Amino acid sequence: GRSPEEVSLALIDQITSVVKAEKTRLAKAEEEVQRKAEATRIAAQKQQEQEEKQRQLKLAQAEAEKQKQAEADTAQKQAAKEQHAQLLAASRSRLFEGILKVRTLMQENPDYPQKAGVNEILNIAITRLSLTDLTPLKESEAMLAGAVHDVSIYQERQAEITRKKFASRRKVK
């Protein structure tokens, strides 16, 4: 056999090669752990980036929706303003026509008994012409229509009285 020295050297060589192999295996395992950790970190970073993109997209969509709603609201308000302006113009026009009609009737019937009341209605209507609220304009239109109705009935009665007087004068002759 071999001498104890040779056995010791052989054992040292064997242990050294086992240690080297183990170091290599550990280094490879550590390398694999590092590679997997890096792959996991990259995957997590990509996941975060993807989530951030989704969040940004949702924010952009929400902002776009908000903008679209604001534009729709603005368009609706503009349409309402335009409609109000049209209704206002039409109401003022009717009110003005009513004022002219009542004035004409009053000129044709200077002895109308409720002249003061009709003049008050005329003054109210004239004052309200500049308002932007439709309610008082409509009220004034109704008041003028009532005045036109009343003065017209008075005018018809006066015409009937005049016709009867004229007819009775003819009979007398």
Side-chain angles (χ1 to χ4, degrees), residues 82-96 129 131 134 137 141:
E82 288 170 12
Q83 183 183 18
H84 181 76
Q86 288 171 350
L87 291 172
L88 198 58
S91 185
R92 284 179 175 155
S93 178
R94 287 190 304 271
L95 192 58
F96 191 71
L129 269 174
L131 298 179
L134 288 168
L137 294 177
E141 282 180 55

Side-chain angles (χ1 to χ4, degrees), residues 9 11 20 29 42 46 73 80 83 89 116 135 138 151 159 166:
L9 282 176
L11 279 174
K20 279 184 182 176
I42 289 170
K46 283 183 180 175
D73 290 349
Q83 183 183 18
T135 305
K138 287 180 179 176
V151 177
F166 192 71

Side-chain angles (χ1 to χ4, degrees), residues 159-173:
E160 186 61 33
I161 291 168
T162 304
R163 274 195 296 280
K164 285 180 181 175
K165 283 182 185 175
F166 192 71
S168 66
R169 284 188 193 154
R170 278 192 174 171
K171 286 181 183 175
V172 172
K173 290 183 180 180

Side-chain angles (χ1 to χ4, degrees), residues 55-120:
R55 193 182 72 76
Q56 292 293 335
L57 181 63
K58 282 181 183 173
L59 279 174
Q61 287 171 338
E63 189 57 38
E65 187 59 38
K66 205 163 102 180
Q67 181 68 28
K68 200 163 113 181
Q69 188 59 48
E71 287 170 7
D73 290 349
T74 301
Q76 195 174 13
K77 285 177 187 170
Q78 186 59 36
K81 273 185 188 176
E82 288 170 12
Q83 183 183 18
H84 181 76
Q86 288 171 350
L87 291 172
L88 198 58
S91 185
R92 284 179 175 155
S93 178
R94 287 190 304 271
L95 192 58
F96 191 71
E97 288 170 15
I99 290 168
L100 294 178
K101 193 170 193 174
V102 170
R103 278 193 167 163
T104 302
L105 279 170
M106 290 308 292
Q107 287 171 350
E108 293 169 359
N109 300 283
D111 54 344
Y112 181 68
Q114 281 87 33
K115 193 176 196 174
V118 172
N119 283 334
E120 189 179 333

